[in-house]
Amino acid sequence: MPLARSLSVTSLSGLEEWDEEFDLEDAVLFEIAWEVANKVGGIYTVIQTKARLTAEEWGENYFLVGPYVESNVRTQVELIEPTNPVLKRTIDKMNASGCKYVAQSEEPPYVVAHFHEWLAGLGLVLCRHRQLPVATIFTTHATLLGRYLCAGNVDFYNNLAEFNVDKEAGDRQIYHRYCLERAAAHCAHVFTTVSQITAIEAEHLLKRKPDVVTPNGLNVKKFSAVHEFQNLHAQSKNRIQEFVRGHFYGHLDFNLDKCLFLFIAGRYEFSNKGADLFLEALARLNYLLRVNHSDVTVIAFFIMPARTNNFNVETLKGQAVRKQLWDTAQTVKERFGKKLYESLLVGQLPDVSKMLDKEDFTIMKRAIFATQRQCQPPICTHNMLEDSSDPILNCVRRIGLFNSSADRVKIIFHPEFLSSTSPLLPMDYEEFVRGCHLGVFPSYYEPWGYTPAECTVMGIPSISTNLSGFGCFMEEHIADPTAYGIYILDRRFRGVDESCNQLTSFLFQFCKQSRRQRIIQRNRTERLSDLLDWRYLGRYYISARHMALAKAFPDTYLYEPHDPTSTTGFRYPRPASVPPSPALSRHSSPRHSEAEDNDEDERYDEDLEAEKDRVNIRQPYSMPFKNKLSTANGANGSSDGDASEKN
């Protein structure tokens, strides 16, 4: 299949190469947000991952401003003395006077102040009210009113143009915060948001169309060996399997090698994040797997923090029983090995009937007796403070998925963020995601969606919706997202029941894939990671800053605006062998086979397909810098670029 594409991935931003480079030597960038070194949500990830690229562009003229939280400062901030004398005088006077005023330079530089969200918006409004010579940018990652409206089960997207925004904000007692957000959007020289779907929302609720859409990226780590991320998947999957062995002790009547791990993670917003739709689809999937006599078992993890008082005793007991069984097996193995060794030493073949004595059988019988369980494996791993009113648990009770032996779909609700220090599931979030087979994020309100983006970068297929920024972005830039493991659920033009049926179909088709098909699909998914690299998506932020400088200081800076919504016709091509779904598979695509590991006649070459995809990707954009830091480094022979590559 010829891949005739004249445009590279760098065209996806819709921004052409600039004819003139911006001289940033006399410019200073301040980025202000409540989540600077203060993790609350996704904005923390945006700022943290983008910081390195922005520092490469601005050098020592880049400053992040956020709240001073003592615990966060100790763990995330390195205290240093500022090298800029003006900044040093400013900080000294702020410290001495309780931050009542700041010092000003006799020759002020050109200042860009980038404010994130309404929490930082007051500073922007005051900058414009006091007519300070500052180029201002305001980025909303999700409108305040939009989040409240969607949480109230409102038909949001079909009524965007009809809302009386002042009344709705007043009814929800957020009018003053809404006014602050709207004022910041209107006062800013440049107004941006994170996705096209949020741009439409902002235009109706904040009454200003964003100047630039700035999608969120990640720092993508590429492995030298293509198969390395597959090895990491296998290692992490083994650790999840160990947890499952303990959690389902006494009821481990399914084959772990034919067990698929699905997960949903994020803030506990039951409807906004699509947990309601996911649970309903799991009930329908369970029915399909049972009537089709499938030997596949699905374990769905819900990683959503809620109010708890401690771990569930039954869950902790499960992990203790698993560990005890392992220790027992090791003890018997050592005794068996010692007898085998002694038999071989005297030159005799061992008598198998004498290798295990009565004591060994007694030890094993005691271990088996300890695994007896009268109750079903628990749904929730913790003791919930509001068990009777919890939305997920109430929905589980309604659909009747109680982890019984007859069910092919099991549910584990982990109402706490994952941590490698947990006594229950000692894994970091990244490690957990790598071990799963599919991320499911059927969100109704998701301005961007870092969770499916993180899945993509780690080579894990995911399900998102056309109401999420990530889903719209992928639909816009990939000709066949499903072939690359990016399933886009239609929640914008379909009713809830139709969307649920579509989600069930996605899940059922995924369960029918062979192991080989899943491996091939993960390879394809991982190759999309370049689309989400800040090396590409950082160009949007660069464009917004240049636009703000040109608007605030027209005598010094000139910027020719381009259409930020245009993708210049770019579409990431279909893979050479499509589709991976067994329902529609041709011989040229990976097909289901009982002897899938011995399919030597399979007409699929991973290296060849990857090479065909790579012809559409140029190396990430590298910015030529003209600021003081890059000049100084060049004079001193420092190789800052090499250092960043090593990181």
Side-chain angles (χ1 to χ4, degrees):
M1 176 177 169
L3 301 177
R5 301 283 174 178
S6 59
L7 295 170
S8 72
V9 169
T10 53
S11 304
L12 68 88
S13 64
L15 302 173
E16 303 172 8
E17 299 290 346
W18 294 296
D19 296 331
E20 296 183 4
E21 301 166 4
F22 265 49
D23 188 351
L24 302 176
E25 185 174 356
D26 294 325
V28 176
L29 171 62
F30 290 93
E31 199 158 0
I32 305 98
W34 183 254
E35 296 195 37
V36 171
N38 179 40
K39 184 173 178 58
V40 177
I43 302 173
Y44 172 88
T45 306
V46 175
I47 294 170
Q48 183 194 49
T49 56
K50 183 173 61 65
R52 185 173 66 181
L53 182 72
T54 310
E56 289 177 8
E57 180 191 4
W58 291 78
E60 292 188 358
N61 290 342
Y62 175 47
F63 304 96
L64 285 164
V65 181
Y68 186 93
V69 181
E70 184 66 34
S71 58
N72 294 337
V73 170
R74 286 199 301 266
T75 57
Q76 301 184 49
V77 178
E78 180 184 355
L79 299 178
I80 58 174
E81 287 294 324
T83 57
N84 188 312
V86 176
L87 181 65
K88 189 175 187 311
R89 289 200 306 271
T90 300
I91 293 177
D92 289 342
K93 290 205 172 186
M94 288 174 69
N95 289 334
S97 60
C99 301
K100 293 181 180 177
Y101 64 93
V102 300
Q104 296 197 8
S105 171
E106 291 79 6
E107 298 179 4
Y110 299 103
V111 176
V112 182
H114 190 159
F115 299 85
H116 292 266
E117 286 292 290
W118 67 271
L119 291 160
L122 182 60
L124 189 153
V125 175
L126 291 176
C127 282
R128 298 308 304 276
H129 176 70
R130 297 173 182 176
Q131 299 181 350
L132 301 180
V134 176
T136 56
I137 305 171
F138 181 67
T139 297
T140 180
H141 296 260
T143 68
L144 184 67
L145 182 56
R147 193 181 295 279
Y148 272 81
L149 287 169
C150 287
N153 295 321
V154 173
D155 187 4
F156 182 65
Y157 292 98
N158 289 326
N159 294 289
L160 266 177
E162 310 299 327
F163 288 121
N164 182 337
V165 291
D166 292 310
K167 180 181 183 301
E168 296 290 350
D171 290 345
R172 287 158 179 79
Q173 299 181 1
I174 57 168
Y175 185 69
H176 296 87
R177 283 178 279 170
Y178 165 74
C179 289
L180 180 58
E181 181 182 40
R182 184 168 169 178
H186 283 267
C187 289
H189 290 99
V190 175
F191 175 43
T192 78
T193 190
V194 295
S195 63
Q196 295 292 348
I197 193 76
T198 315
I200 297 171
E201 173 188 339
E203 187 174 0
H204 285 93
L205 300 187
L206 299 182
K207 308 303 180 183
R208 178 177 176 180
K209 182 178 180 180
D211 301 291
V212 182
V213 173
T214 53
N216 295 330
L218 289 162
N219 291 323
V220 177
K221 177 183 178 182
K222 303 296 287 185
F223 296 102
S224 55
V226 176
H227 61 272
E228 181 62 24
F229 81 95
Q230 295 280 12
N231 294 338
L232 292 174
H233 165 74
Q235 294 168 14
S236 298
K237 183 179 71 173
N238 289 338
R239 296 192 63 183
I240 297 176
Q241 286 178 338
E242 283 300 298
F243 167 78
V244 169
R245 288 187 178 100
H247 192 82
F248 289 92
Y249 83 92
H251 295 271
L252 201 63
D253 49 3
F254 50 89
N255 186 351
L256 276 175
D257 290 331
K258 292 188 176 181
C259 187
L260 299 180
F261 301 135
L262 281 53
F263 81 99
I264 181 173
R267 287 188 304 275
Y268 196 172
E269 297 177 11
F270 185 64
S271 298
N272 280 358
K273 296 299 182 183
D276 52 349
L277 199 69
F278 186 27
L279 282 166
E280 183 63 39
L282 286 175
R284 300 182 187 187
L285 175 66
N286 183 56
Y287 171 79
L288 290 175
L289 293 176
R290 291 177 63 176
V291 299
N292 286 279
H293 305 289
S294 174
D295 58 355
V296 172
T297 300
V298 171
I299 297 182
F301 289 87
F302 288 73
I303 313 296
M304 291 181 159
R307 296 180 62 204
T308 65
N309 60 14
N310 213 330
F311 293 108
N312 186 306
V313 173
E314 189 65 25
T315 306
L316 287 173
K317 180 183 175 182
Q319 300 309 312
V321 169
R322 176 193 61 80
K323 187 177 184 302
Q324 182 61 42
L325 285 174
W326 175 258
D327 292 341
T328 300
Q330 293 300 107
T331 301
V332 174
K333 186 177 81 169
E334 288 177 6
R335 293 165 62 92
F336 184 95
K338 185 177 180 181
K339 294 175 183 178
L340 177 62
Y341 172 65
E342 290 174 349
S343 177
L344 295 176
L345 276 178
V346 298
Q348 295 179 355
L349 288 175
D351 185 351
V352 178
S353 62
K354 296 180 179 179
M355 297 301 290
L356 294 175
D357 55 27
K358 289 185 178 180
E359 185 179 353
D360 293 326
F361 280 103
T362 302
I363 292 174
M364 290 188 288
K365 285 180 181 178
R366 286 175 177 171
I368 293 173
F369 182 76
T371 64
Q372 302 304 308
R373 194 181 210 173
Q374 302 303 320
C375 62
Q376 300 283 11
I379 298 290
C380 188
T381 59
H382 292 60
N383 294 323
M384 301 290 291
L385 288 178
E386 300 171 351
D387 181 285
S388 61
S389 61
D390 183 79
I392 288 180
L393 295 181
N394 281 338
C395 188
V396 169
R397 295 180 184 112
R398 180 180 61 80
I399 61 180
L401 288 179
F402 298 119
N403 293 343
S404 67
S405 298
D407 290 328
R408 298 267 52 84
V409 174
K410 321 286 186 182
I411 294 176
I412 298 176
F413 178 25
H414 189 279
E416 189 176 76
F417 283 131
L418 297 172
S419 169
S420 58
T421 60
S422 169
L424 197 62
L425 184 56
M427 300 178 73
D428 287 328
Y429 177 73
E430 179 180 341
E431 188 180 6
F432 175 79
V433 172
R434 285 193 184 277
C436 290
H437 296 93
L438 180 70
V440 184
F441 313 103
S443 305
Y444 182 75
Y445 186 77
E446 190 71 78
W448 174 245
Y450 254 124
T451 41
E454 288 166 337
C455 286
T456 303
V457 168
M458 288 184 266
I460 303 301
S462 64
I463 297 175
S464 56
T465 74
N466 57 359
L467 290 181
S468 72
F470 173 84
C472 294
F473 180 83
M474 286 302 188
E475 270 191 325
E476 188 177 3
H477 297 105
I478 306 176
D480 186 5
T482 302
Y484 284 93
I486 308 294
Y487 299 88
I488 310 296
L489 184 67
D490 185 4
R491 293 204 66 179
R492 190 172 186 182
F493 304 108
R494 297 191 185 198
V496 175
D497 190 61
E498 289 179 291
S499 297
C500 190
N501 285 335
Q502 186 185 19
L503 177 57
T504 306
S505 176
F506 285 159
L507 296 176
F508 188 56
Q509 291 300 323
F510 188 83
C511 291
K512 290 167 66 176
Q513 288 184 4
S514 67
R515 179 174 176 272
R516 175 175 172 78
Q517 288 172 320
R518 292 198 302 271
I519 290 173
I520 291 171
Q521 190 177 58
R522 283 197 297 271
N523 285 335
R524 293 174 179 168
T525 303
E526 195 272 341
R527 287 201 296 274
L528 295 180
S529 58
D530 281 330
L531 283 170
L532 302 170
D533 196 335
W534 275 122
R535 295 287 177 181
Y536 293 121
L537 300 183
R539 290 170 54 85
Y540 290 103
Y541 278 91
I542 295 171
S543 174
R545 290 192 289 264
H546 289 188
M547 185 185 298
L549 281 169
K551 285 186 175 182
F553 310 108
D555 295 336
T556 307
Y557 294 96
L558 177 66
Y559 174 73
E560 293 294 334
H562 306 290
D563 181 7
T565 62
S566 169
T567 55
T568 326
F570 178 82
R571 296 281 282 176
Y572 203 86
R574 294 167 63 90
S577 58
V578 293
S581 170
L584 304 171
S585 177
R586 297 190 301 270
H587 182 67
S588 60
S589 68
R591 68 184 189 280
H592 180 72
S593 170
E594 294 300 325
E596 60 192 24
D597 294 331
N598 298 321
D599 284 343
E600 295 182 359
D601 62 333
E602 193 78 75
R603 294 209 301 257
Y604 174 82
D605 188 325
E606 175 62 34
D607 293 334
L608 178 61
E609 183 174 302
E611 185 59 36
K612 288 182 177 180
D613 277 348
R614 277 194 291 269
V615 300
N616 294 276
I617 303 176
R618 285 208 309 251
Q619 288 299 311
Y621 174 71
S622 297
M623 292 167 292
F625 305 121
K626 281 190 170 183
N627 57 22
K628 295 178 182 178
L629 182 64
S630 60
T631 306
N633 285 345
N636 295 330
S638 173
S639 54
D640 191 46
D642 295 339
S644 64
E645 288 180 6
K646 292 177 183 177
N647 292 334

